[in-house]
Amino acid sequence: MTIELARFRIHEGAEQRLLAERPAMIDALRSRFPACLAAYLTREDDGGWLDILVWRSRAEAEEAARLVDTVPACAAWFRHISESGGLRHVEVVDARPTPPALGATED
């Protein structure tokens, strides 16, 4: 697995639209790049944003990074970004997800 870290700032007043458009953007991203396993958008203490995407492999993450602008919903979402703080990929060398609770039932 590979984790993609994208740090950025957004235009003033764009937060509501950024958040409202995110589900459709992520759906479009996953439709074009099914190796995207998870996506987390975080706000940093300094007001910046850090988008964290989990990919099946580094090659698939890098391919998506090269081609993401060809996905119209992604290109449209990127218009909210005023400043990029860079994109990087890190390899997961150990993962220990929390197991589901034993005996838990779904409501």
Side-chain angles (χ1 to χ4, degrees), residues 26-39:
I26 293 296
D27 287 347
L29 177 80
R30 286 182 168 155
S31 178
R32 173 64 178 85
F33 306 106
C36 179
L37 304 176

Side-chain angles (χ1 to χ4, degrees), residues 59-97:
E60 290 165 309
E62 290 175 347
E63 176 188 19
R66 278 192 307 275
L67 299 173
V68 70
D69 287 332
T70 67
V71 180
C74 295
W77 192 79
F78 294 156
R79 79 185 185 285
H80 301 304
I81 297 173
S82 63
E83 178 185 333
S84 173
L87 174 77
R88 64 189 194 130
H89 294 107
V90 295
E91 179 184 358
V92 175
V93 296
D94 183 54
R96 299 183 188 277

